Coordinates of all heavy atoms in Angstrom, one line a residue:
M1 N -8.6 12.1 -5.4 CA -8.2 10.8 -5.1 C -8.7 10.5 -3.6 O -8.4 11.1 -2.7 CB -6.7 10.6 -5.1 CG -6.3 9.3 -5.6 SD -4.5 9.1 -6.0 CE -3.6 10.3 -5.2
E2 N -9.6 9.5 -3.5 CA -10.1 9.1 -2.2 C -9.2 8.1 -1.6 O -8.9 7.1 -2.2 CB -11.5 8.5 -2.4 CG -12.5 9.6 -2.9 CD -13.9 9.0 -3.0 OE1 -14.2 8.1 -2.3 OE2 -14.6 9.5 -3.9
R3 N -8.8 8.3 -0.4 CA -7.9 7.5 0.4 C -8.4 6.1 0.6 O -7.7 5.1 0.6 CB -7.5 8.2 1.7 CG -6.5 7.5 2.5 CD -5.2 7.6 1.8 NE -4.1 7.1 2.6 CZ -3.0 6.7 2.1 NH1 -2.7 6.8 0.9 NH2 -2.1 6.2 2.9
D4 N -9.7 6.0 0.9 CA -10.2 4.6 1.2 C -10.4 3.7 0.0 O -10.5 2.5 0.2 CB -11.6 4.8 1.9 CG -12.6 5.5 1.1 OD1 -12.2 6.3 0.2 OD2 -13.8 5.3 1.4
K5 N -10.2 4.2 -1.2 CA -10.3 3.4 -2.4 C -9.0 2.9 -2.9 O -8.9 2.0 -3.6 CB -11.1 4.2 -3.5 CG -12.5 4.3 -3.2 CD -13.3 4.8 -4.4 CE -14.7 4.9 -4.1 NZ -15.5 5.3 -5.3
E6 N -7.9 3.6 -2.5 CA -6.6 3.2 -3.0 C -6.0 2.3 -1.9 O -6.2 2.4 -0.8 CB -5.7 4.4 -3.3 CG -5.4 5.2 -2.1 CD -4.5 6.4 -2.5 OE1 -5.0 7.3 -3.2 OE2 -3.3 6.4 -2.0
K7 N -5.2 1.3 -2.4 CA -4.5 0.4 -1.5 C -3.1 0.9 -1.2 O -2.5 1.5 -2.1 CB -4.5 -1.0 -2.1 CG -5.8 -1.7 -2.2 CD -5.7 -3.1 -2.7 CE -7.1 -3.7 -2.7 NZ -7.0 -5.1 -3.1
I8 N -2.7 0.6 0.0 CA -1.3 1.0 0.4 C -0.4 -0.2 0.0 O -0.7 -1.3 0.2 CB -1.3 1.2 1.9 CG1 -2.2 2.3 2.3 CG2 0.2 1.4 2.4 CD1 -2.4 2.5 3.8
W9 N 0.8 0.2 -0.6 CA 1.8 -0.8 -1.0 C 2.6 -1.1 0.2 O 3.0 -0.2 1.0 CB 2.7 -0.2 -2.1 CG 2.1 -0.2 -3.4 CD1 1.3 0.7 -4.0 CD2 2.2 -1.3 -4.4 NE1 0.9 0.3 -5.3 CE2 1.5 -0.9 -5.5 CE3 2.8 -2.5 -4.4 CZ2 1.4 -1.7 -6.7 CZ3 2.7 -3.3 -5.5 CH2 2.0 -2.9 -6.6
I10 N 2.9 -2.4 0.4 CA 3.9 -2.7 1.4 C 4.9 -3.7 0.8 O 4.6 -4.4 -0.1 CB 3.3 -3.4 2.7 CG1 2.5 -4.7 2.3 CG2 2.3 -2.5 3.4 CD1 2.0 -5.5 3.5
V11 N 6.2 -3.6 1.3 CA 7.2 -4.4 0.8 C 7.4 -5.5 1.7 O 7.5 -5.3 3.0 CB 8.6 -3.6 0.7 CG1 9.7 -4.4 0.2 CG2 8.4 -2.4 -0.2
I12 N 7.5 -6.7 1.2 CA 7.6 -7.9 2.0 C 9.0 -8.5 1.9 O 9.5 -8.7 0.7 CB 6.6 -9.0 1.6 CG1 5.2 -8.5 1.7 CG2 6.8 -10.3 2.4 CD1 4.8 -8.3 3.1
D13 N 9.7 -8.7 3.0 CA 11.0 -9.3 3.0 C 10.9 -10.8 2.9 O 9.8 -11.4 3.3 CB 11.7 -8.9 4.4 CG 13.0 -9.5 4.5 OD1 14.0 -9.1 3.9 OD2 13.1 -10.5 5.4
T14 N 11.9 -11.5 2.4 CA 11.8 -13.0 2.2 C 11.5 -13.6 3.6 O 10.7 -14.6 3.7 CB 13.1 -13.5 1.6 OG1 13.3 -12.9 0.4 CG2 13.0 -15.0 1.4
N15 N 12.2 -13.2 4.6 CA 12.0 -13.8 5.9 C 10.6 -13.7 6.4 O 10.0 -14.6 7.0 CB 13.0 -13.2 7.0 CG 14.4 -13.6 6.7 OD1 14.7 -14.7 6.2 ND2 15.3 -12.7 7.0
I16 N 10.0 -12.5 6.2 CA 8.6 -12.3 6.6 C 7.7 -13.1 5.8 O 6.7 -13.7 6.3 CB 8.3 -10.8 6.4 CG1 9.2 -9.9 7.2 CG2 6.8 -10.5 6.7 CD1 9.1 -10.1 8.7
L17 N 7.9 -13.2 4.5 CA 7.0 -14.0 3.7 C 7.1 -15.5 4.0 O 6.0 -16.2 4.2 CB 7.4 -13.9 2.2 CG 6.6 -14.7 1.2 CD1 5.1 -14.3 1.3 CD2 7.1 -14.5 -0.2
I18 N 8.3 -16.0 4.3 CA 8.4 -17.4 4.7 C 7.8 -17.7 6.0 O 7.1 -18.7 6.2 CB 9.9 -17.9 4.7 CG1 10.4 -17.9 3.3 CG2 10.1 -19.2 5.4 CD1 11.9 -18.1 3.1
S19 N 7.9 -16.8 6.9 CA 7.3 -16.9 8.2 C 5.8 -16.9 8.1 O 5.1 -17.7 8.8 CB 7.7 -15.7 9.1 OG 7.0 -15.7 10.3
A20 N 5.2 -16.1 7.2 CA 3.8 -16.1 7.0 C 3.3 -17.3 6.4 O 2.2 -17.8 6.7 CB 3.4 -14.9 6.2
L21 N 4.1 -17.9 5.5 CA 3.7 -19.2 4.9 C 3.8 -20.4 5.9 O 2.9 -21.3 5.8 CB 4.6 -19.5 3.7 CG 4.5 -18.5 2.5 CD1 5.6 -18.8 1.5 CD2 3.2 -18.7 1.8
I22 N 4.7 -20.3 6.8 CA 4.8 -21.4 7.8 C 3.8 -21.3 8.9 O 3.1 -22.3 9.2 CB 6.2 -21.4 8.4 CG1 7.3 -21.8 7.4 CG2 6.3 -22.3 9.6 CD1 8.7 -21.6 7.8
K23 N 3.6 -20.1 9.4 CA 2.6 -19.8 10.4 C 1.3 -19.2 9.8 O 1.1 -18.0 9.8 CB 3.2 -18.9 11.5 CG 4.4 -19.5 12.2 CD 4.9 -18.5 13.2 CE 6.2 -19.1 13.8 NZ 6.8 -18.1 14.7
D24 N 0.4 -20.1 9.4 CA -0.8 -19.7 8.7 C -1.7 -18.8 9.5 O -2.5 -18.0 9.0 CB -1.5 -20.9 8.1 CG -2.6 -20.5 7.1 OD1 -2.3 -19.6 6.3 OD2 -3.6 -21.1 7.2
D25 N -1.7 -19.0 10.8 CA -2.6 -18.2 11.7 C -1.9 -17.0 12.3 O -2.5 -16.4 13.2 CB -3.1 -19.1 12.8 CG -2.0 -19.7 13.7 OD1 -0.9 -19.7 13.3 OD2 -2.4 -20.1 14.8
S26 N -0.7 -16.6 11.8 CA -0.1 -15.4 12.4 C -0.7 -14.1 11.9 O -1.4 -14.1 10.9 CB 1.4 -15.4 12.0 OG 1.6 -15.2 10.6
I27 N -0.4 -13.1 12.6 CA -0.9 -11.8 12.3 C -0.4 -11.4 10.9 O -1.1 -10.8 10.0 CB -0.5 -10.7 13.3 CG1 -1.1 -11.0 14.7 CG2 -0.9 -9.3 12.8 CD1 -2.6 -10.8 14.7
T28 N 0.9 -11.6 10.6 CA 1.5 -11.3 9.4 C 0.8 -12.0 8.2 O 0.5 -11.4 7.2 CB 3.0 -11.6 9.4 OG1 3.6 -11.0 10.5 CG2 3.7 -11.2 8.1
S29 N 0.5 -13.3 8.4 CA -0.1 -14.0 7.4 C -1.5 -13.5 7.1 O -1.9 -13.4 6.0 CB -0.2 -15.5 7.8 OG -0.9 -16.3 6.9
K30 N -2.2 -13.1 8.1 CA -3.6 -12.6 8.0 C -3.5 -11.2 7.3 O -4.4 -10.9 6.4 CB -4.3 -12.4 9.3 CG -4.6 -13.8 10.0 CD -5.2 -13.6 11.4 CE -5.4 -15.0 12.0 NZ -5.9 -14.9 13.3
I31 N -2.5 -10.4 7.5 CA -2.4 -9.1 6.9 C -2.1 -9.3 5.4 O -2.7 -8.7 4.5 CB -1.3 -8.3 7.5 CG1 -1.7 -7.8 8.9 CG2 -0.9 -7.1 6.6 CD1 -0.6 -7.2 9.7
I32 N -1.2 -10.2 5.1 CA -0.8 -10.5 3.7 C -2.0 -11.0 2.9 O -2.3 -10.6 1.8 CB 0.3 -11.5 3.6 CG1 1.6 -10.8 4.1 CG2 0.5 -12.0 2.2 CD1 2.8 -11.8 4.3
K33 N -2.8 -11.9 3.5 CA -4.0 -12.5 2.8 C -5.2 -11.7 2.8 O -6.2 -12.0 2.1 CB -4.3 -13.9 3.5 CG -3.2 -14.9 3.3 CD -3.5 -16.1 4.0 CE -2.4 -17.2 3.9 NZ -2.7 -18.4 4.7
S34 N -5.2 -10.6 3.6 CA -6.4 -9.8 3.8 C -6.9 -9.0 2.5 O -8.0 -8.7 2.3 CB -6.2 -8.7 4.9 OG -5.3 -7.7 4.5
G35 N -5.9 -8.7 1.6 CA -6.2 -8.0 0.4 C -6.3 -6.5 0.7 O -6.7 -5.7 -0.2
I36 N -6.1 -6.0 1.9 CA -6.1 -4.6 2.2 C -5.0 -3.9 1.5 O -5.1 -2.7 1.1 CB -6.1 -4.4 3.7 CG1 -7.4 -5.0 4.3 CG2 -6.0 -2.9 4.0 CD1 -7.3 -5.0 5.8

């Protein structure tokens, strides 16, 4: 199994998700939308 081909799972809390939706240019929003 090659590490660079598998994606890491992250758990998103409701507060974090709402914050990312409100602040579109935030680091959290960019991480969520990155597809990494």
Side-chain angles (χ1 to χ4, degrees):
M1 214 168 21
E2 294 180 29
R3 185 71 174 159
D4 58 336
K5 288 190 177 183
E6 65 182 66
K7 291 186 179 182
I8 298 171
W9 281 89
I10 59 173
V11 177
I12 300 292
D13 177 72
T14 303
N15 293 327
I16 300 299
L17 181 60
I18 291 173
S19 175
L21 292 172
I22 292 172
K23 298 178 181 177
D24 194 41
D25 62 338
S26 69
I27 297 292
T28 306
S29 179
K30 291 176 183 176
I31 289 171
I32 291 172
K33 294 176 183 177
S34 71
I36 296 171

